[in-house]
């Protein structure tokens, strides 16, 4: 049973990195859906795209045509930070800040910290979710300067599991002690038959405590291409999976696969749980 991340004293914002030094593991999908799940639980959430090389969260959220200003504009004082914040129409509790379309690597740690402070003055956020690039370059250093926790995303791929462990060590050296593993795009059938690494193997090889598992579902990937999140899709277990992670982040204890539907999924879950 994953141990929940405990919130700080009331009135402070929890700043969480969604990260891995490997690209292609679904960090942005995780960041967008987890932010929405927290917002649906009544948390005031700021989701910030910190991939200064290739922004994509605006596409996943379906707000690409609403962006007038981005984090670079706020960092360099071109506009007030409040003008960068876009409120998501699907939830009154979710705001989004876009990465610059080009450039942004010259944003300093002080400027980035200033954006966080200004955003908190504009809206008393409970959570700030920072989506990071697939590297451990300058953006990660800027973000970790203010983050107090991290969710490290991995898939079944051996390279992503190794990258998760390396990312954990990097963040530990940057004084982020609250590091949790999220297994994304988990293949239940492959894990149950032994064709893919199972839950315990991924945890053991990454050396990071688990906070949740997101199932592999084709609909979720299609949704990301059309600006739809898991909560808008029919017949997917990903919505329950992200809500489970959000619940644990709020300090609640819920079973690992709580709310999953479908007899096939239930049989696979039972087989997996017998080996945990």
């Amino acid at each position: 049973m994953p141990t929940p991340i405990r919130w700080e004293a009331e009135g402070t914002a929890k700043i969480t990195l969604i990260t891995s030094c490997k690209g292609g593991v679904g960090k942005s999908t995780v960041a967008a859906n987890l932010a929405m799940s927290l917002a649906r639980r009544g948390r005031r959430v700021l989701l910030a795209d910190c991939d200064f090389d290739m922004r994509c969260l605006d596409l996943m959220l379906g707000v690409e045509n609403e962006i007038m200003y981005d984090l670079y504009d706020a960092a360099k004082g071109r506009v007030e930070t409040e003008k960068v914040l876009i409120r998501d129409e699907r939830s009154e509790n979710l705001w989004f800040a876009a990465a610059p379309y080009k450039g942004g690597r010259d944003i300093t740690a002080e400027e980035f910290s200033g954006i966080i402070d200004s955003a908190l003055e504009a809206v008393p956020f409970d959570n700030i979710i920072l989506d990071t690039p697939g590297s451990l370059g300058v953006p990660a250093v800027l973000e970790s300067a203010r983050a107090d926790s991290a969710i490290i995303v991995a898939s079944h791929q051996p390279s992503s599991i190794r990258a998760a462990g390396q990312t954990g060590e990097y963040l530990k050296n940057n004084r982020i002690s609250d590091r949790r593993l999220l297994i994304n795009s988990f293949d239940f059938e492959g894990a149950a038959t032994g064709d893919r690494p199972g839950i315990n193997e991924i945890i053991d090889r990454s050396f990071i405590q688990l906070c949740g598992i997101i199932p592999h579902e084709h609909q979720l990937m299609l949704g990301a291409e059309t600006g739809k999140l898991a909560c808008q899709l029919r017949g997917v277990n990903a919505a329950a999976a992200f809500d489970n992670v959000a619940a644990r982040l709020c300090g609640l204890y819920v079973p690992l696969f709580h709310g999953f539907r479908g007899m096939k999924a239930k049989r696979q879950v039972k087989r997996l749980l017998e080996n945990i």
Side-chain angles (χ1 to χ4, degrees), residues 17-28 130-137 140 143 150-155 159-168 170-171 181-182 208:
L17 299 176
I18 308 298
T19 188
S20 169
C21 63
K22 186 182 186 308
V25 295
K27 292 186 296 294
S28 296
L130 306 178
D131 181 34
T132 69
S135 67
L136 290 178
E143 292 143 15
I151 292 178
I152 301 170
V153 182
S155 66
S159 58
S160 82
I161 300 171
R162 176 182 291 176
Q166 293 174 335
T167 305
Y170 173 86
L171 295 174
L181 174 70
L182 187 144
I208 307 169

Side-chain angles (χ1 to χ4, degrees), residues 115-168:
I115 294 174
I116 298 295
D117 290 335
S118 298
L120 288 170
E121 289 178 5
V123 180
F125 292 111
D126 301 301
N127 290 89
I128 298 178
I129 303 293
L130 306 178
D131 181 34
T132 69
S135 67
L136 290 178
V138 174
V141 176
L142 296 180
E143 292 143 15
S144 63
R146 286 298 297 266
D148 42 34
S149 67
I151 292 178
I152 301 170
V153 182
S155 66
H156 284 289
Q157 295 178 329
S159 58
S160 82
I161 300 171
R162 176 182 291 176
Q166 293 174 335
T167 305

